[in-house]
Amino acid sequence: MTIPGLVVPPLTPFTAELTVDYDALKHGVDYVVKDCDAAMVIAAGVEAQEYQYLDLPQRRELIRKTIEFVDGRRPVVVGVSHPSFKVSIDLTHFAEELGASAVQLLAPLRPFGGEPSPRDLERYVDAVAGETSLPLMLYLNAGAGATVSPEATIALASRDSIGFVKESSRDLSRVSRLIEEIDQAGLAHYFTTVQMMLISLQLGGSGVTLPPPAAKIASLILQSFLKGDVAEAVRLQRQFSLYPAKWMRYGLTPTMKASLNLLGVPAGAPYPPYSPVTGEDLDDLRAFLTTTDLEIVEEL
């Protein structure tokens, strides 16, 4: 994959019967590859993709179809996170069979409550890594998983099995240290998130992981950064000052799905019972998007 680059998860559209709308998903994958210029595509790996609502056969099908739709145009990292390391291993073997380039593993909370110890996390990662030759993307998201200290993160990234680290915090002190001690130290490629994009690139990080259509703006930031046009990169990064923060009371997935729909990319609504962006809030979102480098569809 191209470094620095974007690791992008296509969002999961659902039908009225709450099954995956694969026609719409194909459109979404094409948007991620072509418009967002993803360096790597995530299949059923982050919470914004709503894979948590699927049973294991449905999750496998979502993985399979995502890889099919990418069609070799980009490497694919497959989400294998599960409270049971045995299920994660099974999904890892499935990813291998489908030709995935890597697997993504969330540093988990203990299923019976509380934070795992660093040794717990090491055993969990090693149990999965010991069953595959694919590199692991260690996924750090304290909202859905464990809070992992910088020291424990560095220790995990030191393992040969970890090729990538995906960091969801917006803590500049943490991010700058871990870019230095992980990415710049040659342990693994270190990816941050949307609000941290430009500073992460400037500090020597490998890029960011973020959903569409925010990823389209991020691709323009990356292009400007690589050209040395810092003023343009700053202008683009400022678009993330309000977006998606202003609509985050709905959550990231509803905000990104509403945005994609306004851009003419069918994404549907969030999985029930969670609310879509509607009414004046949707009007405000539409008005804001017209001020960005995204192009909304005026008549839907």
Side-chain angles (χ1 to χ4, degrees), residues 108-127:
L109 291 166
R110 296 186 310 199
F112 48 86
E115 295 284 347
S117 70
R119 183 63 186 133
D120 291 335
L121 294 175
E122 290 170 2
R123 286 195 293 263
Y124 182 75
V125 168
D126 290 346

mmCIF file of all heavy atoms in Angstrom, residues 108-127:
data_model
loop_
_atom_site.group_PDB
_atom_site.id
_atom_site.type_symbol
_atom_site.label_atom_id
_atom_site.label_comp_id
_atom_site.label_asym_id
_atom_site.label_seq_id
_atom_site.Cartn_x
_atom_site.Cartn_y
_atom_site.Cartn_z
ATOM 1 N N PRO A 108 -9.430 -5.434 23.036
ATOM 2 C CA PRO A 108 -10.766 -5.551 23.614
ATOM 3 C C PRO A 108 -10.833 -5.228 25.102
ATOM 4 O O PRO A 108 -9.842 -5.330 25.830
ATOM 5 C CB PRO A 108 -11.086 -7.035 23.399
ATOM 6 C CG PRO A 108 -9.748 -7.696 23.562
ATOM 7 C CD PRO A 108 -8.729 -6.738 22.985
ATOM 8 N N LEU A 109 -12.006 -4.854 25.532
ATOM 9 C CA LEU A 109 -12.323 -4.878 26.957
ATOM 10 C C LEU A 109 -12.509 -6.327 27.399
ATOM 11 O O LEU A 109 -12.729 -7.220 26.572
ATOM 12 C CB LEU A 109 -13.610 -4.099 27.221
ATOM 13 C CG LEU A 109 -13.552 -2.579 27.037
ATOM 14 C CD1 LEU A 109 -14.959 -2.007 27.002
ATOM 15 C CD2 LEU A 109 -12.735 -1.941 28.144
ATOM 16 N N ARG A 110 -12.421 -6.565 28.704
ATOM 17 C CA ARG A 110 -12.734 -7.902 29.190
ATOM 18 C C ARG A 110 -14.238 -8.130 29.071
ATOM 19 O O ARG A 110 -15.027 -7.270 29.490
ATOM 20 C CB ARG A 110 -12.306 -8.061 30.646
ATOM 21 C CG ARG A 110 -10.807 -7.944 30.849
ATOM 22 C CD ARG A 110 -10.391 -8.238 32.273
ATOM 23 N NE ARG A 110 -11.161 -7.511 33.264
ATOM 24 C CZ ARG A 110 -10.760 -7.314 34.524
ATOM 25 N NH1 ARG A 110 -9.592 -7.805 34.930
ATOM 26 N NH2 ARG A 110 -11.515 -6.660 35.371
ATOM 27 N N PRO A 111 -14.677 -9.235 28.504
ATOM 28 C CA PRO A 111 -16.114 -9.474 28.353
ATOM 29 C C PRO A 111 -16.872 -9.479 29.674
ATOM 30 O O PRO A 111 -18.062 -9.170 29.711
ATOM 31 C CB PRO A 111 -16.174 -10.839 27.670
ATOM 32 C CG PRO A 111 -14.876 -10.966 26.964
ATOM 33 C CD PRO A 111 -13.876 -10.277 27.844
ATOM 34 N N PHE A 112 -16.181 -9.814 30.759
ATOM 35 C CA PHE A 112 -16.837 -9.848 32.066
ATOM 36 C C PHE A 112 -16.671 -8.543 32.826
ATOM 37 O O PHE A 112 -17.017 -8.446 34.001
ATOM 38 C CB PHE A 112 -16.301 -11.020 32.900
ATOM 39 C CG PHE A 112 -14.791 -11.115 32.927
ATOM 40 C CD1 PHE A 112 -14.036 -10.398 33.843
ATOM 41 C CD2 PHE A 112 -14.136 -11.935 32.021
ATOM 42 C CE1 PHE A 112 -12.657 -10.490 33.867
ATOM 43 C CE2 PHE A 112 -12.742 -12.041 32.049
ATOM 44 C CZ PHE A 112 -12.002 -11.314 32.957
ATOM 45 N N GLY A 113 -16.160 -7.517 32.152
ATOM 46 C CA GLY A 113 -16.089 -6.188 32.745
ATOM 47 C C GLY A 113 -14.684 -5.741 33.077
ATOM 48 O O GLY A 113 -13.856 -6.532 33.529
ATOM 49 N N GLY A 114 -14.419 -4.466 32.829
ATOM 50 C CA GLY A 114 -13.145 -3.882 33.223
ATOM 51 C C GLY A 114 -12.087 -3.925 32.142
ATOM 52 O O GLY A 114 -12.234 -4.568 31.101
ATOM 53 N N GLU A 115 -11.017 -3.226 32.428
ATOM 54 C CA GLU A 115 -9.906 -3.124 31.493
ATOM 55 C C GLU A 115 -8.993 -4.353 31.582
ATOM 56 O O GLU A 115 -8.703 -4.827 32.677
ATOM 57 C CB GLU A 115 -9.076 -1.871 31.788
ATOM 58 C CG GLU A 115 -9.806 -0.558 31.570
ATOM 59 C CD GLU A 115 -9.947 -0.208 30.098
ATOM 60 O OE1 GLU A 115 -9.271 -0.853 29.254
ATOM 61 O OE2 GLU A 115 -10.723 0.715 29.797
ATOM 62 N N PRO A 116 -8.541 -4.850 30.451
ATOM 63 C CA PRO A 116 -7.564 -5.937 30.482
ATOM 64 C C PRO A 116 -6.197 -5.418 30.907
ATOM 65 O O PRO A 116 -5.893 -4.229 30.743
ATOM 66 C CB PRO A 116 -7.541 -6.421 29.034
ATOM 67 C CG PRO A 116 -7.860 -5.182 28.242
ATOM 68 C CD PRO A 116 -8.843 -4.405 29.083
ATOM 69 N N SER A 117 -5.377 -6.287 31.426
ATOM 70 C CA SER A 117 -3.999 -5.918 31.738
ATOM 71 C C SER A 117 -3.180 -5.928 30.452
ATOM 72 O O SER A 117 -3.579 -6.537 29.451
ATOM 73 C CB SER A 117 -3.404 -6.924 32.728
ATOM 74 O OG SER A 117 -3.199 -8.180 32.090
ATOM 75 N N PRO A 118 -2.017 -5.266 30.437
ATOM 76 C CA PRO A 118 -1.154 -5.355 29.261
ATOM 77 C C PRO A 118 -0.831 -6.792 28.876
ATOM 78 O O PRO A 118 -0.784 -7.131 27.690
ATOM 79 C CB PRO A 118 0.095 -4.585 29.695
ATOM 80 C CG PRO A 118 -0.409 -3.576 30.675
ATOM 81 C CD PRO A 118 -1.490 -4.297 31.425
ATOM 82 N N ARG A 119 -0.644 -7.647 29.871
ATOM 83 C CA ARG A 119 -0.346 -9.046 29.575
ATOM 84 C C ARG A 119 -1.549 -9.742 28.945
ATOM 85 O O ARG A 119 -1.385 -10.578 28.040
ATOM 86 C CB ARG A 119 0.082 -9.780 30.856
ATOM 87 C CG ARG A 119 0.490 -11.222 30.633
ATOM 88 C CD ARG A 119 1.700 -11.318 29.740
ATOM 89 N NE ARG A 119 2.010 -12.704 29.417
ATOM 90 C CZ ARG A 119 2.270 -13.149 28.202
ATOM 91 N NH1 ARG A 119 2.260 -12.315 27.173
ATOM 92 N NH2 ARG A 119 2.564 -14.418 27.989
ATOM 93 N N ASP A 120 -2.760 -9.407 29.387
ATOM 94 C CA ASP A 120 -3.964 -9.943 28.756
ATOM 95 C C ASP A 120 -3.983 -9.601 27.262
ATOM 96 O O ASP A 120 -4.272 -10.454 26.410
ATOM 97 C CB ASP A 120 -5.231 -9.365 29.395
ATOM 98 C CG ASP A 120 -5.471 -9.846 30.802
ATOM 99 O OD1 ASP A 120 -4.986 -10.934 31.161
ATOM 100 O OD2 ASP A 120 -6.163 -9.125 31.556
ATOM 101 N N LEU A 121 -3.699 -8.349 26.948
ATOM 102 C CA LEU A 121 -3.712 -7.908 25.557
ATOM 103 C C LEU A 121 -2.632 -8.605 24.742
ATOM 104 O O LEU A 121 -2.861 -8.991 23.577
ATOM 105 C CB LEU A 121 -3.532 -6.386 25.482
ATOM 106 C CG LEU A 121 -4.673 -5.548 26.059
ATOM 107 C CD1 LEU A 121 -4.309 -4.068 26.032
ATOM 108 C CD2 LEU A 121 -5.965 -5.785 25.284
ATOM 109 N N GLU A 122 -1.464 -8.777 25.339
ATOM 110 C CA GLU A 122 -0.384 -9.463 24.629
ATOM 111 C C GLU A 122 -0.779 -10.898 24.293
ATOM 112 O O GLU A 122 -0.552 -11.378 23.173
ATOM 113 C CB GLU A 122 0.887 -9.443 25.472
ATOM 114 C CG GLU A 122 1.516 -8.064 25.591
ATOM 115 C CD GLU A 122 2.626 -8.017 26.629
ATOM 116 O OE1 GLU A 122 2.922 -9.078 27.227
ATOM 117 O OE2 GLU A 122 3.196 -6.929 26.823
ATOM 118 N N ARG A 123 -1.404 -11.573 25.244
ATOM 119 C CA ARG A 123 -1.827 -12.954 24.995
ATOM 120 C C ARG A 123 -2.900 -13.012 23.914
ATOM 121 O O ARG A 123 -2.908 -13.927 23.081
ATOM 122 C CB ARG A 123 -2.327 -13.598 26.290
ATOM 123 C CG ARG A 123 -1.219 -13.962 27.266
ATOM 124 C CD ARG A 123 -1.742 -14.910 28.350
ATOM 125 N NE ARG A 123 -2.707 -14.257 29.214
ATOM 126 C CZ ARG A 123 -2.409 -13.724 30.392
ATOM 127 N NH1 ARG A 123 -1.168 -13.772 30.849
ATOM 128 N NH2 ARG A 123 -3.341 -13.153 31.132
ATOM 129 N N TYR A 124 -3.811 -12.057 23.940
ATOM 130 C CA TYR A 124 -4.887 -12.019 22.948
ATOM 131 C C TYR A 124 -4.311 -11.821 21.545
ATOM 132 O O TYR A 124 -4.661 -12.550 20.604
ATOM 133 C CB TYR A 124 -5.854 -10.894 23.303
ATOM 134 C CG TYR A 124 -7.048 -10.761 22.399
ATOM 135 C CD1 TYR A 124 -8.114 -11.660 22.479
ATOM 136 C CD2 TYR A 124 -7.138 -9.734 21.476
ATOM 137 C CE1 TYR A 124 -9.231 -11.534 21.659
ATOM 138 C CE2 TYR A 124 -8.243 -9.598 20.645
ATOM 139 C CZ TYR A 124 -9.282 -10.498 20.741
ATOM 140 O OH TYR A 124 -10.377 -10.363 19.923
ATOM 141 N N VAL A 125 -3.435 -10.838 21.410
ATOM 142 C CA VAL A 125 -2.810 -10.574 20.111
ATOM 143 C C VAL A 125 -1.977 -11.768 19.656
ATOM 144 O O VAL A 125 -2.050 -12.193 18.496
ATOM 145 C CB VAL A 125 -1.952 -9.294 20.184
ATOM 146 C CG1 VAL A 125 -1.059 -9.159 18.946
ATOM 147 C CG2 VAL A 125 -2.837 -8.060 20.326
ATOM 148 N N ASP A 126 -1.199 -12.328 20.557
ATOM 149 C CA ASP A 126 -0.334 -13.455 20.192
ATOM 150 C C ASP A 126 -1.136 -14.677 19.784
ATOM 151 O O ASP A 126 -0.715 -15.454 18.909
ATOM 152 C CB ASP A 126 0.598 -13.804 21.351
ATOM 153 C CG ASP A 126 1.663 -12.750 21.590
ATOM 154 O OD1 ASP A 126 1.854 -11.889 20.703
ATOM 155 O OD2 ASP A 126 2.293 -12.776 22.666
ATOM 156 N N ALA A 127 -2.307 -14.881 20.414
ATOM 157 C CA ALA A 127 -3.134 -16.034 20.074
ATOM 158 C C ALA A 127 -3.589 -15.963 18.616
ATOM 159 O O ALA A 127 -3.613 -16.982 17.910
ATOM 160 C CB ALA A 127 -4.346 -16.113 20.998
#
